[in-house]
Amino acid sequence: MTREVFKHDFLWGGAVAAHQLEGAWQEGGKGVSVADVMTVGAHGVPRRITDGVLADEYYPNHEGIDFYHHYKEDIKLFAEMGFKCFRTSIAWTRIFPKGDECEPNEAGLKFYDELFDECLKYNIEPVVTLSHFEMPFHLVTEYGGWKNRKVIDFFVNFSEVCFKRYQTKVKYWMTFNEINNQANYVDDFAPFTNSGIVYKEGDNREEIMYQAAHYELVAAAKAVAIGRKINPNFEIGCMIAMCPIYPATCSPDDMLMSVSAMHTRYWFTDVHVKGSYPKHLKKYFERNQFNLDITLEDEEVLKGGCVDYIGFSYYMSFAVSYQNQAHYKYDESKDLVANPYVEASDWGWQIDPKGLRYAMNWFTDRYDLPLFIVENGFGALDKLENDTVQDDYRIAYLKAHIEQMKLAVSEDGVDLMGYTPWGCIDLISAGTGEMKKRYGFIYVDRDNEGNGSLKRLPKKSFDWYREVIKSNGEVL
Ligand code: P53
C-alpha cells in the first residue's frame, strides 16, 4: 500500500453554525441574536436587517432545520459517514441571552453538554466556534455592538464560561468566524453579522470597522490566554474567510492592486498570529488620520494571545483590476472582476480548486502554522428524486478541492490538521437566508418559505464522502 498523504489523526468532518440550523430561537431561555432579525434575500438581493423581531416578517433562522430537536438523529448520520469531528458554534444567546448578564443560563449550557456528549459517544471530536454571526441583539441596541469597548468583557466572560464548562469535552476552539468579512464595510451585511454594527448617515464606516475589529482581536487574544490557563491542551485558532485576490492581469498596477487588496482582507490574520499590526496598516491609519482607541495595554494583550492554528474557509477566489484607485485602495463592494479562467456557481461564486492550494501555500509561507480547512463546499440547487439527490456536481467540487489539498500537503509540505466541508447537512444560507442554497451530504425537506417535513435524506455525496473518510482521502 502506498503511504497515505494525510495524517492518521486527520480531522475529517463537517461544519455548521448554531444560528443556521438549530432553530428553537426562544427555547431554553435563548435570547434574540443578530441572526434572528435578518430576513430572506437571494443572489443579488441582500437580506434585510429589521429593527427587532417584527410580527409580519419571516425569519428563516428562527426554525432553521430544527437541529435543536433533531441533533441525535443528525449526529448519528454524521457517524455513519465516519466523521472524526464536527464543527459547530455555541449560540452566545443560549448562554447569555442578552449578552451583558453576569451569570450564564444553565439550560443553554446543558444543551451543549448533551450535544457534545452525543458527538463523543461516536468518537466525534467537537470543534467549536465561539462567535459565528450570532451575537446577542441586545448588545447591538444597548451598546452599539463591537464599536463599544465594553463588549470585550462580555465576550471574554462568555468564552471563559464555555472553556470551563466544556474543558473535558472540547479541545479545538475558534474565536470569531470569518472575522475579516468586515473588510467589506460598504455593504451592510458583514458589519452587522461580524460586529453587530448598524451604520448611521454620516458615519465613517471604515474607521468604525477598524475600531470594532480591534476590540474583537483584543477579545480574541484575551480568550486565548484564558483558555490556555484553563486547559493547556486546548488548541485555539482564528477563523479567516480566505478568498485569495488575484491580479486581473500581469500588469504591475494590477499586481499592486492585488497586494493592497490582500492587505485589506488579511491583516486580521497577522494580528491573530503574530500579535501585532502589520506595517502597511500602521501607515494606512496614519495616512487616513484615523483616531483609533488602541492602547499600549491592548498591544500587550495581543502579544499574549497568539493562536495555535489558522482555521479558514475556502469557497472561491477573487480577481481585482486597477482602475486608478488612489493608493491602490481596495473597495470590495466594487473592485472585483470576473476571472475568465474559472466557472462560477449559480450564486456567482467562482469555483477554483487550485486557488485552495495557492491559499494553503500563502498561509504557510507567511505564518508557518498548522492549517485547518473548517469550511469548503458547493452551494447549489438540489433536485430531490426518489428520496435522494444525485449531486454529482457537489462530489466533483469537493473532489477537485481535496485533490489540491493533497498536493499542498504532499508536494508543498503544508501542515494540515483537518477538513470540515460546510453545511454537511442542509441549512440556512448565511449570505442570503435561503434554504434552497444547499451544501449538505444530507438533504433536509424544507423550503425557502419554511414549508416541509424536515425529513433528513442522504444524498449521493453521503456515500461518496464516507468512502473518502474511510480511505483517509485516498479514494476520491
Ligand atoms: P452562504 C461570504 C463569503 C465567504 C463565506 O455561505 C461566507 C460569506 C458570508 O455569506 O460565509 C461563510 O451561506 C460562513 C457560513 C456560511 C458559508 O460561508 O452565504 O462562515 O456561515 O454559511 C456559506 O452560502
Side-chain angles (χ1 to χ4, degrees), residues 1 4 6-8 10 12-13 78-84 402 462-476:
M1 216 179 96
E4 286 173 7
F6 298 119
K7 301 175 186 183
H8 267 291
F10 191 80
W12 293 101
F78 300 155
E80 268 176 44
M81 276 187 278
F83 278 22
K84 314 282 183 216
I402 297 172
F462 183 99
D463 293 324
W464 172 81
Y465 193 45
R466 188 183 52 218
E467 294 310 306
V468 171
I469 296 178
K470 203 164 108 192
S471 66
N472 199 17
E474 292 300 300
V475 178
L476 292 179

PDB file of all heavy atoms in Angstrom, residues 1 4 6-8 10 12-13 78-84 402 462-476:
ATOM      1  N   MET A   1       0.831  -1.205   0.000  1.00  0.00           N
ATOM      2  CA  MET A   1       0.000   0.000   0.000  1.00  0.00           C
ATOM      3  C   MET A   1       0.867   1.259   0.000  1.00  0.00           C
ATOM      4  O   MET A   1       1.881   1.321   0.679  1.00  0.00           O
ATOM      5  CB  MET A   1      -0.878  -0.010   1.258  1.00  0.00           C
ATOM      6  CG  MET A   1      -2.260   0.572   1.033  1.00  0.00           C
ATOM      7  SD  MET A   1      -3.266   0.502   2.521  1.00  0.00           S
ATOM      8  CE  MET A   1      -3.014   2.145   3.169  1.00  0.00           C
ATOM      9  N   GLU A   4      -0.136   7.026   2.928  1.00  0.00           N
ATOM     10  CA  GLU A   4      -1.231   7.990   2.875  1.00  0.00           C
ATOM     11  C   GLU A   4      -0.696   9.420   2.978  1.00  0.00           C
ATOM     12  O   GLU A   4       0.284   9.670   3.668  1.00  0.00           O
ATOM     13  CB  GLU A   4      -2.200   7.731   4.026  1.00  0.00           C
ATOM     14  CG  GLU A   4      -3.042   6.493   3.796  1.00  0.00           C
ATOM     15  CD  GLU A   4      -3.886   6.114   5.005  1.00  0.00           C
ATOM     16  OE1 GLU A   4      -3.922   6.886   5.977  1.00  0.00           O
ATOM     17  OE2 GLU A   4      -4.498   5.038   4.947  1.00  0.00           O
ATOM     18  N   PHE A   6      -2.523  12.110   4.117  1.00  0.00           N
ATOM     19  CA  PHE A   6      -2.988  12.797   5.325  1.00  0.00           C
ATOM     20  C   PHE A   6      -2.583  12.028   6.579  1.00  0.00           C
ATOM     21  O   PHE A   6      -2.456  10.793   6.558  1.00  0.00           O
ATOM     22  CB  PHE A   6      -4.503  12.990   5.268  1.00  0.00           C
ATOM     23  CG  PHE A   6      -4.933  13.852   4.110  1.00  0.00           C
ATOM     24  CD1 PHE A   6      -5.766  13.356   3.115  1.00  0.00           C
ATOM     25  CD2 PHE A   6      -4.473  15.157   3.994  1.00  0.00           C
ATOM     26  CE1 PHE A   6      -6.151  14.154   2.037  1.00  0.00           C
ATOM     27  CE2 PHE A   6      -4.846  15.969   2.916  1.00  0.00           C
ATOM     28  CZ  PHE A   6      -5.686  15.455   1.930  1.00  0.00           C
ATOM     29  N   LYS A   7      -2.395  12.767   7.659  1.00  0.00           N
ATOM     30  CA  LYS A   7      -2.001  12.177   8.936  1.00  0.00           C
ATOM     31  C   LYS A   7      -3.031  11.148   9.401  1.00  0.00           C
ATOM     32  O   LYS A   7      -4.197  11.224   9.007  1.00  0.00           O
ATOM     33  CB  LYS A   7      -1.958  13.262  10.023  1.00  0.00           C
ATOM     34  CG  LYS A   7      -1.029  14.395   9.751  1.00  0.00           C
ATOM     35  CD  LYS A   7      -1.228  15.427  10.869  1.00  0.00           C
ATOM     36  CE  LYS A   7      -0.427  16.669  10.560  1.00  0.00           C
ATOM     37  NZ  LYS A   7      -0.478  17.694  11.578  1.00  0.00           N
ATOM     38  N   HIS A   8      -2.615  10.286  10.299  1.00  0.00           N
ATOM     39  CA  HIS A   8      -3.534   9.262  10.787  1.00  0.00           C
ATOM     40  C   HIS A   8      -4.690   9.813  11.594  1.00  0.00           C
ATOM     41  O   HIS A   8      -5.790   9.272  11.562  1.00  0.00           O
ATOM     42  CB  HIS A   8      -2.779   8.187  11.564  1.00  0.00           C
ATOM     43  CG  HIS A   8      -2.406   7.080  10.646  1.00  0.00           C
ATOM     44  ND1 HIS A   8      -3.349   6.244  10.101  1.00  0.00           N
ATOM     45  CD2 HIS A   8      -1.216   6.739  10.111  1.00  0.00           C
ATOM     46  CE1 HIS A   8      -2.752   5.411   9.270  1.00  0.00           C
ATOM     47  NE2 HIS A   8      -1.453   5.690   9.252  1.00  0.00           N
ATOM     48  N   PHE A  10      -6.065  12.692  11.072  1.00  0.00           N
ATOM     49  CA  PHE A  10      -6.632  13.792  10.284  1.00  0.00           C
ATOM     50  C   PHE A  10      -8.105  13.988  10.642  1.00  0.00           C
ATOM     51  O   PHE A  10      -8.875  13.026  10.730  1.00  0.00           O
ATOM     52  CB  PHE A  10      -6.488  13.472   8.794  1.00  0.00           C
ATOM     53  CG  PHE A  10      -6.783  14.631   7.881  1.00  0.00           C
ATOM     54  CD1 PHE A  10      -5.832  15.609   7.652  1.00  0.00           C
ATOM     55  CD2 PHE A  10      -8.013  14.731   7.249  1.00  0.00           C
ATOM     56  CE1 PHE A  10      -6.098  16.685   6.804  1.00  0.00           C
ATOM     57  CE2 PHE A  10      -8.293  15.807   6.399  1.00  0.00           C
ATOM     58  CZ  PHE A  10      -7.328  16.781   6.170  1.00  0.00           C
ATOM     59  N   TRP A  12     -11.316  14.616   9.653  1.00  0.00           N
ATOM     60  CA  TRP A  12     -12.378  14.667   8.645  1.00  0.00           C
ATOM     61  C   TRP A  12     -13.702  14.930   9.353  1.00  0.00           C
ATOM     62  O   TRP A  12     -13.967  14.332  10.400  1.00  0.00           O
ATOM     63  CB  TRP A  12     -12.513  13.326   7.916  1.00  0.00           C
ATOM     64  CG  TRP A  12     -11.366  12.945   7.056  1.00  0.00           C
ATOM     65  CD1 TRP A  12     -10.373  12.062   7.379  1.00  0.00           C
ATOM     66  CD2 TRP A  12     -11.075  13.400   5.725  1.00  0.00           C
ATOM     67  NE1 TRP A  12      -9.483  11.942   6.330  1.00  0.00           N
ATOM     68  CE2 TRP A  12      -9.898  12.757   5.300  1.00  0.00           C
ATOM     69  CE3 TRP A  12     -11.703  14.303   4.853  1.00  0.00           C
ATOM     70  CZ2 TRP A  12      -9.332  12.973   4.041  1.00  0.00           C
ATOM     71  CZ3 TRP A  12     -11.134  14.511   3.605  1.00  0.00           C
ATOM     72  CH2 TRP A  12      -9.968  13.854   3.211  1.00  0.00           C
ATOM     73  N   GLY A  13     -14.513  15.778   8.770  1.00  0.00           N
ATOM     74  CA  GLY A  13     -15.805  16.011   9.420  1.00  0.00           C
ATOM     75  C   GLY A  13     -16.689  16.911   8.591  1.00  0.00           C
ATOM     76  O   GLY A  13     -16.655  16.876   7.353  1.00  0.00           O
ATOM     77  N   PHE A  78     -23.984  11.635  10.802  1.00  0.00           N
ATOM     78  CA  PHE A  78     -22.571  12.051  10.667  1.00  0.00           C
ATOM     79  C   PHE A  78     -21.657  10.874  11.026  1.00  0.00           C
ATOM     80  O   PHE A  78     -20.648  10.632  10.367  1.00  0.00           O
ATOM     81  CB  PHE A  78     -22.233  13.237  11.577  1.00  0.00           C
ATOM     82  CG  PHE A  78     -23.043  14.489  11.328  1.00  0.00           C
ATOM     83  CD1 PHE A  78     -23.248  15.433  12.343  1.00  0.00           C
ATOM     84  CD2 PHE A  78     -23.607  14.738  10.080  1.00  0.00           C
ATOM     85  CE1 PHE A  78     -23.983  16.583  12.124  1.00  0.00           C
ATOM     86  CE2 PHE A  78     -24.362  15.897   9.850  1.00  0.00           C
ATOM     87  CZ  PHE A  78     -24.543  16.813  10.880  1.00  0.00           C
ATOM     88  N   ALA A  79     -22.047  10.153  12.069  1.00  0.00           N
ATOM     89  CA  ALA A  79     -21.244   8.996  12.487  1.00  0.00           C
ATOM     90  C   ALA A  79     -21.241   7.924  11.394  1.00  0.00           C
ATOM     91  O   ALA A  79     -20.217   7.284  11.154  1.00  0.00           O
ATOM     92  CB  ALA A  79     -21.787   8.426  13.799  1.00  0.00           C
ATOM     93  N   GLU A  80     -22.363   7.791  10.718  1.00  0.00           N
ATOM     94  CA  GLU A  80     -22.419   6.817   9.607  1.00  0.00           C
ATOM     95  C   GLU A  80     -21.443   7.174   8.496  1.00  0.00           C
ATOM     96  O   GLU A  80     -20.889   6.310   7.828  1.00  0.00           O
ATOM     97  CB  GLU A  80     -23.835   6.763   9.010  1.00  0.00           C
ATOM     98  CG  GLU A  80     -24.709   5.706   9.635  1.00  0.00           C
ATOM     99  CD  GLU A  80     -26.125   5.755   9.077  1.00  0.00           C
ATOM    100  OE1 GLU A  80     -26.311   5.888   7.845  1.00  0.00           O
ATOM    101  OE2 GLU A  80     -27.063   5.690   9.897  1.00  0.00           O
ATOM    102  N   MET A  81     -21.246   8.472   8.291  1.00  0.00           N
ATOM    103  CA  MET A  81     -20.254   8.892   7.287  1.00  0.00           C
ATOM    104  C   MET A  81     -18.828   8.733   7.819  1.00  0.00           C
ATOM    105  O   MET A  81     -17.875   8.901   7.083  1.00  0.00           O
ATOM    106  CB  MET A  81     -20.492  10.357   6.889  1.00  0.00           C
ATOM    107  CG  MET A  81     -21.545  10.529   5.826  1.00  0.00           C
ATOM    108  SD  MET A  81     -21.648  12.264   5.247  1.00  0.00           S
ATOM    109  CE  MET A  81     -22.678  12.996   6.500  1.00  0.00           C
ATOM    110  N   GLY A  82     -18.706   8.483   9.106  1.00  0.00           N
ATOM    111  CA  GLY A  82     -17.376   8.283   9.684  1.00  0.00           C
ATOM    112  C   GLY A  82     -16.705   9.554  10.175  1.00  0.00           C
ATOM    113  O   GLY A  82     -15.477   9.588  10.344  1.00  0.00           O
ATOM    114  N   PHE A  83     -17.491  10.599  10.425  1.00  0.00           N
ATOM    115  CA  PHE A  83     -16.901  11.864  10.902  1.00  0.00           C
ATOM    116  C   PHE A  83     -15.977  11.629  12.090  1.00  0.00           C
ATOM    117  O   PHE A  83     -16.312  10.906  13.025  1.00  0.00           O
ATOM    118  CB  PHE A  83     -17.998  12.837  11.352  1.00  0.00           C
ATOM    119  CG  PHE A  83     -18.662  13.611  10.246  1.00  0.00           C
ATOM    120  CD1 PHE A  83     -18.651  13.158   8.937  1.00  0.00           C
ATOM    121  CD2 PHE A  83     -19.315  14.808  10.524  1.00  0.00           C
ATOM    122  CE1 PHE A  83     -19.280  13.885   7.926  1.00  0.00           C
ATOM    123  CE2 PHE A  83     -19.940  15.536   9.531  1.00  0.00           C
ATOM    124  CZ  PHE A  83     -19.933  15.079   8.225  1.00  0.00           C
ATOM    125  N   LYS A  84     -14.820  12.271  12.033  1.00  0.00           N
ATOM    126  CA  LYS A  84     -13.898  12.287  13.181  1.00  0.00           C
ATOM    127  C   LYS A  84     -14.140  13.529  14.024  1.00  0.00           C
ATOM    128  O   LYS A  84     -13.717  13.595  15.168  1.00  0.00           O
ATOM    129  CB  LYS A  84     -12.443  12.310  12.722  1.00  0.00           C
ATOM    130  CG  LYS A  84     -12.096  11.330  11.630  1.00  0.00           C
ATOM    131  CD  LYS A  84     -11.925   9.940  12.183  1.00  0.00           C
ATOM    132  CE  LYS A  84     -11.506   8.978  11.080  1.00  0.00           C
ATOM    133  NZ  LYS A  84     -12.099   7.661  11.271  1.00  0.00           N
ATOM    134  N   ILE A 402     -10.216  18.525  -2.680  1.00  0.00           N
ATOM    135  CA  ILE A 402      -9.405  17.601  -1.866  1.00  0.00           C
ATOM    136  C   ILE A 402      -8.131  17.226  -2.634  1.00  0.00           C
ATOM    137  O   ILE A 402      -7.053  17.110  -2.042  1.00  0.00           O
ATOM    138  CB  ILE A 402     -10.225  16.355  -1.448  1.00  0.00           C
ATOM    139  CG1 ILE A 402     -11.409  16.774  -0.560  1.00  0.00           C
ATOM    140  CG2 ILE A 402      -9.336  15.364  -0.685  1.00  0.00           C
ATOM    141  CD1 ILE A 402     -12.393  15.655  -0.245  1.00  0.00           C
ATOM    142  N   PHE A 462     -23.279  11.584   0.192  1.00  0.00           N
ATOM    143  CA  PHE A 462     -23.168  10.979   1.527  1.00  0.00           C
ATOM    144  C   PHE A 462     -22.298   9.716   1.450  1.00  0.00           C
ATOM    145  O   PHE A 462     -21.351   9.539   2.216  1.00  0.00           O
ATOM    146  CB  PHE A 462     -24.574  10.655   2.028  1.00  0.00           C
ATOM    147  CG  PHE A 462     -24.667  10.080   3.418  1.00  0.00           C
ATOM    148  CD1 PHE A 462     -24.984  10.891   4.503  1.00  0.00           C
ATOM    149  CD2 PHE A 462     -24.476   8.717   3.653  1.00  0.00           C
ATOM    150  CE1 PHE A 462     -25.106  10.366   5.790  1.00  0.00           C
ATOM    151  CE2 PHE A 462     -24.594   8.182   4.936  1.00  0.00           C
ATOM    152  CZ  PHE A 462     -24.909   9.012   6.000  1.00  0.00           C
ATOM    153  N   ASP A 463     -22.636   8.850   0.496  1.00  0.00           N
ATOM    154  CA  ASP A 463     -21.876   7.600   0.342  1.00  0.00           C
ATOM    155  C   ASP A 463     -20.461   7.880  -0.138  1.00  0.00           C
ATOM    156  O   ASP A 463     -19.509   7.230   0.276  1.00  0.00           O
ATOM    157  CB  ASP A 463     -22.571   6.671  -0.664  1.00  0.00           C
ATOM    158  CG  ASP A 463     -23.902   6.175  -0.126  1.00  0.00           C
ATOM    159  OD1 ASP A 463     -23.993   5.935   1.092  1.00  0.00           O
ATOM    160  OD2 ASP A 463     -24.862   6.060  -0.908  1.00  0.00           O
ATOM    161  N   TRP A 464     -20.368   8.847  -1.021  1.00  0.00           N
ATOM    162  CA  TRP A 464     -19.040   9.205  -1.550  1.00  0.00           C
ATOM    163  C   TRP A 464     -18.120   9.686  -0.415  1.00  0.00           C
ATOM    164  O   TRP A 464     -16.984   9.225  -0.284  1.00  0.00           O
ATOM    165  CB  TRP A 464     -19.195  10.306  -2.615  1.00  0.00           C
ATOM    166  CG  TRP A 464     -17.888  10.862  -3.051  1.00  0.00           C
ATOM    167  CD1 TRP A 464     -17.021  10.322  -3.954  1.00  0.00           C
ATOM    168  CD2 TRP A 464     -17.273  12.070  -2.586  1.00  0.00           C
ATOM    169  NE1 TRP A 464     -15.909  11.114  -4.078  1.00  0.00           N
ATOM    170  CE2 TRP A 464     -16.034  12.195  -3.249  1.00  0.00           C
ATOM    171  CE3 TRP A 464     -17.643  13.068  -1.659  1.00  0.00           C
ATOM    172  CZ2 TRP A 464     -15.160  13.272  -3.021  1.00  0.00           C
ATOM    173  CZ3 TRP A 464     -16.792  14.125  -1.430  1.00  0.00           C
ATOM    174  CH2 TRP A 464     -15.562  14.217  -2.111  1.00  0.00           C
ATOM    175  N   TYR A 465     -18.635  10.582   0.432  1.00  0.00           N
ATOM    176  CA  TYR A 465     -17.792  11.147   1.487  1.00  0.00           C
ATOM    177  C   TYR A 465     -17.403  10.084   2.517  1.00  0.00           C
ATOM    178  O   TYR A 465     -16.296  10.094   3.054  1.00  0.00           O
ATOM    179  CB  TYR A 465     -18.513  12.326   2.155  1.00  0.00           C
ATOM    180  CG  TYR A 465     -17.618  13.190   3.036  1.00  0.00           C
ATOM    181  CD1 TYR A 465     -16.346  13.583   2.605  1.00  0.00           C
ATOM    182  CD2 TYR A 465     -18.039  13.615   4.299  1.00  0.00           C
ATOM    183  CE1 TYR A 465     -15.534  14.375   3.407  1.00  0.00           C
ATOM    184  CE2 TYR A 465     -17.232  14.411   5.097  1.00  0.00           C
ATOM    185  CZ  TYR A 465     -15.980  14.794   4.648  1.00  0.00           C
ATOM    186  OH  TYR A 465     -15.173  15.582   5.436  1.00  0.00           O
ATOM    187  N   ARG A 466     -18.311   9.142   2.750  1.00  0.00           N
ATOM    188  CA  ARG A 466     -17.990   8.053   3.681  1.00  0.00           C
ATOM    189  C   ARG A 466     -16.764   7.275   3.191  1.00  0.00           C
ATOM    190  O   ARG A 466     -15.869   6.944   3.968  1.00  0.00           O
ATOM    191  CB  ARG A 466     -19.196   7.108   3.818  1.00  0.00           C
ATOM    192  CG  ARG A 466     -19.014   6.055   4.907  1.00  0.00           C
ATOM    193  CD  ARG A 466     -20.188   5.102   4.966  1.00  0.00           C
ATOM    194  NE  ARG A 466     -20.453   4.569   3.642  1.00  0.00           N
ATOM    195  CZ  ARG A 466     -21.672   4.341   3.137  1.00  0.00           C
ATOM    196  NH1 ARG A 466     -22.740   4.568   3.844  1.00  0.00           N
ATOM    197  NH2 ARG A 466     -21.815   3.884   1.909  1.00  0.00           N
ATOM    198  N   GLU A 467     -16.680   7.043   1.892  1.00  0.00           N
ATOM    199  CA  GLU A 467     -15.526   6.327   1.329  1.00  0.00           C
ATOM    200  C   GLU A 467     -14.265   7.179   1.393  1.00  0.00           C
ATOM    201  O   GLU A 467     -13.166   6.665   1.619  1.00  0.00           O
ATOM    202  CB  GLU A 467     -15.810   5.895  -0.124  1.00  0.00           C
ATOM    203  CG  GLU A 467     -16.902   4.858  -0.245  1.00  0.00           C
ATOM    204  CD  GLU A 467     -16.718   3.654   0.694  1.00  0.00           C
ATOM    205  OE1 GLU A 467     -15.648   3.029   0.666  1.00  0.00           O
ATOM    206  OE2 GLU A 467     -17.663   3.367   1.467  1.00  0.00           O
ATOM    207  N   VAL A 468     -14.430   8.465   1.197  1.00  0.00           N
ATOM    208  CA  VAL A 468     -13.272   9.376   1.294  1.00  0.00           C
ATOM    209  C   VAL A 468     -12.674   9.281   2.700  1.00  0.00           C
ATOM    210  O   VAL A 468     -11.463   9.115   2.878  1.00  0.00           O
ATOM    211  CB  VAL A 468     -13.677  10.846   0.997  1.00  0.00           C
ATOM    212  CG1 VAL A 468     -12.528  11.810   1.309  1.00  0.00           C
ATOM    213  CG2 VAL A 468     -14.136  11.003  -0.444  1.00  0.00           C
ATOM    214  N   ILE A 469     -13.537   9.356   3.691  1.00  0.00           N
ATOM    215  CA  ILE A 469     -13.050   9.328   5.077  1.00  0.00           C
ATOM    216  C   ILE A 469     -12.443   7.958   5.400  1.00  0.00           C
ATOM    217  O   ILE A 469     -11.360   7.877   5.981  1.00  0.00           O
ATOM    218  CB  ILE A 469     -14.193   9.671   6.062  1.00  0.00           C
ATOM    219  CG1 ILE A 469     -14.681  11.102   5.824  1.00  0.00           C
ATOM    220  CG2 ILE A 469     -13.725   9.494   7.512  1.00  0.00           C
ATOM    221  CD1 ILE A 469     -15.841  11.540   6.709  1.00  0.00           C
ATOM    222  N   LYS A 470     -13.150   6.929   4.978  1.00  0.00           N
ATOM    223  CA  LYS A 470     -12.681   5.569   5.268  1.00  0.00           C
ATOM    224  C   LYS A 470     -11.279   5.327   4.711  1.00  0.00           C
ATOM    225  O   LYS A 470     -10.447   4.668   5.340  1.00  0.00           O
ATOM    226  CB  LYS A 470     -13.675   4.559   4.660  1.00  0.00           C
ATOM    227  CG  LYS A 470     -13.637   3.204   5.337  1.00  0.00           C
ATOM    228  CD  LYS A 470     -14.854   2.386   4.986  1.00  0.00           C
ATOM    229  CE  LYS A 470     -14.454   1.265   4.044  1.00  0.00           C
ATOM    230  NZ  LYS A 470     -15.643   0.612   3.454  1.00  0.00           N
ATOM    231  N   SER A 471     -11.001   5.897   3.557  1.00  0.00           N
ATOM    232  CA  SER A 471      -9.695   5.689   2.930  1.00  0.00           C
ATOM    233  C   SER A 471      -8.705   6.799   3.295  1.00  0.00           C
ATOM    234  O   SER A 471      -7.651   6.908   2.685  1.00  0.00           O
ATOM    235  CB  SER A 471      -9.871   5.634   1.413  1.00  0.00           C
ATOM    236  OG  SER A 471     -10.303   6.893   0.922  1.00  0.00           O
ATOM    237  N   ASN A 472      -9.050   7.626   4.248  1.00  0.00           N
ATOM    238  CA  ASN A 472      -8.238   8.791   4.633  1.00  0.00           C
ATOM    239  C   ASN A 472      -7.852   9.628   3.407  1.00  0.00           C
ATOM    240  O   ASN A 472      -6.706  10.072   3.274  1.00  0.00           O
ATOM    241  CB  ASN A 472      -6.994   8.349   5.413  1.00  0.00           C
ATOM    242  CG  ASN A 472      -6.388   9.508   6.212  1.00  0.00           C
ATOM    243  OD1 ASN A 472      -7.037  10.539   6.450  1.00  0.00           O
ATOM    244  ND2 ASN A 472      -5.135   9.362   6.611  1.00  0.00           N
ATOM    245  N   GLY A 473      -8.812   9.804   2.536  1.00  0.00           N
ATOM    246  CA  GLY A 473      -8.599  10.690   1.390  1.00  0.00           C
ATOM    247  C   GLY A 473      -7.907  10.044   0.202  1.00  0.00           C
ATOM    248  O   GLY A 473      -7.604  10.715  -0.778  1.00  0.00           O
ATOM    249  N   GLU A 474      -7.686   8.736   0.276  1.00  0.00           N
ATOM    250  CA  GLU A 474      -7.011   8.061  -0.851  1.00  0.00           C
ATOM    251  C   GLU A 474      -7.991   7.754  -1.980  1.00  0.00           C
ATOM    252  O   GLU A 474      -7.629   7.786  -3.152  1.00  0.00           O
ATOM    253  CB  GLU A 474      -6.327   6.777  -0.366  1.00  0.00           C
ATOM    254  CG  GLU A 474      -5.139   7.034   0.566  1.00  0.00           C
ATOM    255  CD  GLU A 474      -4.038   7.857  -0.102  1.00  0.00           C
ATOM    256  OE1 GLU A 474      -3.495   7.404  -1.128  1.00  0.00           O
ATOM    257  OE2 GLU A 474      -3.728   8.957   0.391  1.00  0.00           O
ATOM    258  N   VAL A 475      -9.229   7.431  -1.639  1.00  0.00           N
ATOM    259  CA  VAL A 475     -10.252   7.141  -2.664  1.00  0.00           C
ATOM    260  C   VAL A 475     -11.143   8.373  -2.820  1.00  0.00           C
ATOM    261  O   VAL A 475     -11.877   8.736  -1.901  1.00  0.00           O
ATOM    262  CB  VAL A 475     -11.107   5.919  -2.246  1.00  0.00           C
ATOM    263  CG1 VAL A 475     -12.190   5.651  -3.284  1.00  0.00           C
ATOM    264  CG2 VAL A 475     -10.228   4.703  -2.030  1.00  0.00           C
ATOM    265  N   LEU A 476     -11.074   9.001  -3.991  1.00  0.00           N
ATOM    266  CA  LEU A 476     -11.866  10.224  -4.189  1.00  0.00           C
ATOM    267  C   LEU A 476     -12.916  10.041  -5.281  1.00  0.00           C
ATOM    268  O   LEU A 476     -12.662   9.454  -6.292  1.00  0.00           O
ATOM    269  CB  LEU A 476     -10.949  11.395  -4.563  1.00  0.00           C
ATOM    270  CG  LEU A 476      -9.995  11.886  -3.475  1.00  0.00           C
ATOM    271  CD1 LEU A 476      -9.136  13.017  -4.006  1.00  0.00           C
ATOM    272  CD2 LEU A 476     -10.760  12.366  -2.249  1.00  0.00           C
TER     273      LEU A 476
END
